[in-house]
Amino acid sequence: MILDNVRIFQPYQPYQTFQKDQTYAVKINGYKIEAIYNSPYEGDGEVIDGMGRVLSPGFIDSHMHLLRYGLLKKELDLTEVTSWKEMKALVKSHYDELQQYHWVFGKGFNDSKFEDIDCLLTAQNLNEIQVNAFMYFMHQDGHECVISERAMELLKKEEDFKKEPEEFKEKDEYGNWNGRFKDTAVHYIKHHFWGRSSEDAKEALKKALPKMSEHGITSVHTDDINFIGCYDSLWQAYTQLEDEEDLPIDVQLHHYIFNINDMKSYCQESERRTGEGTSRVKVGAFKIFLYGTQRLYTAAMRNPYPADPEKDGYLIYTQEQLEDMVAYASKNDMQVAMHAIGDRAVEQAITALEKSREDTKRLRHRIIHAQTLAPDLIDRLRRIKPYIETQPSFLLDEWSKKEDWTPKSLLPFCDAYKSLLHEQIPLTLSSDLPIGSLNPFTSIFSAVHRTDLDGNPEGGWMPQEKISVKDAFIGFTKTPAELEYREEEKGKIEPGYQADFVILDRHPEEIDLRELNQVKVLETWHRGKCVYRR
């Protein structure tokens, strides 16, 4: 099959230089690109007229929670709720009959915006829904939850939960749990209190997958295990979708771990390592959560939070524990991806990676977020060059809050995309779905402008860290393919590469850059097949 009469936008070194005013014919054989010719194509075979539209590599989102997003679509979604009254009504309407001792789940609430209640929700408030139900509601950003009094009774019987940091267990004036939990305590509850079957996961994923294709995403790296409870069940869900030809993306499945024993259990029970698996489903990294989030003042910082000088965050692991985990993963050919937002946690991650310097290079270990840096940290990153996974769409809402979280002297080193690229530290762009925007063009807009969608602040926040459209596209295509060890077969429009590409409604370099977020995906092709058409 030949896709003729298309312009090609690939803003980095291809096998040839694509001219903006030239049209091309892309020959697809099976799931790969076989050849690229100048248009018009004069050979044999089925020819599809691309009508002069723009073809670009498909997007690879290197950090998201795909199953969680699918569950929002399949189960109780509270992301649009604006009041406590509305939340209670939605819960009661979603569950036909609220029975005693039944589980009630909901995801995506943000009670800081509720104006009909003068406090954040606690277990006591949930009694207004059902006194004896087991209830669990996850906050919009996934770092906080509130559970019912009945659910807390179960939690108190969990011996391992006592190991979770006390800072992550909110208490009332009497020193008793009030039902709100943070960060790894949230992960523990999700992971241990219930599991979903592979069939449940498949149904949720089927709700989410069309949205991937709609936005031109052809590959994802996803951390899902806490929403199903078992890596084997997760693997089964994705590979069954692949066997049933219902998986229009490639997937890297991360394995969230709580401690080194989780790593050992996986490595002893499974022979699959990072990058191995089926044609479309591969093992990803060990996900290591080093601490919390800046919104809750739990992200580990080297300086106190300006808005709350008594807090500077909390590290979950000692330096020795983290170094042991990184070393064990490296020895067993497993990539690590470490959640680190604050500069103290980034420093901890860097120190661990320095101890495994050669493995960091070989396995392409990652640091997720790295939102707060400093000159000394950038210099150390330059020396070891781990991959940094960024989420530029966070800036849309967070730029105005940075002064609450970061000392003024360090603000120029927040979300330091340009500085990292200047030091040739590999950078990917990603969504952190469902927290950030799924639309890659929203992330690209944010990385290029560093403003919200209305253009605030004027000129961009810390404008010296803006990056080019070219660099933003590289972060969504070529660089994340390297994290899969597949840079010789994915992420480019080139003969021999996987035929993953999108057709756009306009050329990103021919528009007013203020319209970047308005670029539309007209078609998405994955492995040589059109999986979405607007």
Side-chain angles (χ1 to χ4, degrees), residues 359-375:
D359 290 318
T360 295
K361 179 179 180 180
R362 176 175 66 90
L363 293 167
R364 304 174 184 182
H365 292 322
R366 328 176 182 198
I367 298 177
I368 306 168
H369 306 307
Q371 287 177 254
T372 307
L373 297 173

Side-chain angles (χ1 to χ4, degrees), residues 246-464:
D246 278 333
L247 191 66
I249 55 173
D250 288 356
V251 181
Q252 289 248 320
L253 288 181
H254 291 336
H255 193 313
Y256 182 103
I257 60 98
F258 286 90
N259 51 53
I260 196 169
N261 290 331
D262 291 339
M263 287 183 165
K264 291 178 178 178
S265 293
Y266 174 79
C267 291
Q268 291 165 5
E269 295 170 7
S270 175
E271 296 181 353
R272 291 189 293 264
R273 299 294 184 258
T274 300
E276 298 177 349
T278 67
S279 177
R280 301 189 185 198
V281 184
K282 311 285 188 186
V283 174
F286 279 138
K287 167 80 174 288
I288 308 175
F289 193 89
L290 300 188
Y291 63 98
T293 181
Q294 290 174 310
R295 180 182 69 83
L296 298 172
Y297 303 149
T298 54
M301 306 289 285
R302 297 195 290 190
N303 298 278
Y305 283 88
D308 193 342
E310 294 185 359
K311 296 181 179 178
D312 60 4
Y314 180 88
L315 286 172
I316 295 169
Y317 306 104
T318 67
Q319 188 65 50
E320 183 180 6
Q321 286 173 327
L322 182 60
E323 289 171 11
D324 286 347
M325 285 191 285
V326 173
Y328 183 85
S330 299
K331 181 180 178 180
N332 287 275
D333 294 326
M334 287 293 293
Q335 194 179 74
V336 296
M338 291 178 280
H339 168 105
I341 296 174
D343 52 0
R344 183 152 56 110
V346 174
E347 183 176 42
Q348 186 185 46
I350 290 172
T351 301
L353 294 175
E354 287 171 336
K355 293 288 181 67
S356 298
R357 184 180 298 268
E358 291 305 314
D359 290 318
T360 295
K361 179 179 180 180
R362 176 175 66 90
L363 293 167
R364 304 174 184 182
H365 292 322
R366 328 176 182 198
I367 298 177
I368 306 168
H369 306 307
Q371 287 177 254
T372 307
L373 297 173
D376 65 306
L377 298 180
I378 293 174
D379 185 59
R380 291 171 69 185
L381 287 169
R382 175 182 62 81
R383 297 171 190 273
I384 55 174
K385 290 184 171 47
Y387 283 70
I388 307 296
E389 295 181 0
T390 71
Q391 298 74 37
S393 69
F394 287 1
L395 280 172
L396 298 174
D397 298 318
E398 290 187 350
W399 69 266
S400 60
K401 304 179 180 70
K402 295 287 187 178
E403 291 184 357
D404 291 340
W405 303 334
T406 309
K408 189 173 182 179
S409 61
L410 290 180
L411 288 175
F413 304 100
C414 290
D415 304 282
Y417 309 146
K418 184 74 171 181
S419 294
L420 291 170
L421 289 175
H422 178 74
E423 299 296 347
Q424 299 183 337
I425 300 162
L427 198 76
T428 70
L429 275 62
S430 60
S431 65
D432 204 355
L433 186 75
I435 303 167
S437 173
L438 173 60
N439 185 351
F441 284 102
T442 300
S443 293
I444 291 169
F445 174 96
S446 302
V448 169
H449 292 285
R450 296 178 71 90
T451 69
D452 61 25
L453 297 180
D454 295 322
N456 299 311
E458 185 176 355
W461 187 78
M462 298 298 157
Q464 76 279 1

Side-chain angles (χ1 to χ4, degrees), residues 30 63 105 121 166 241 309 347 364 386 448 495 502 531:
H63 181 68
F105 303 109
L121 295 177
E166 289 300 311
L241 286 173
E347 183 176 42
R364 304 174 184 182
V448 169
V502 293
V531 295

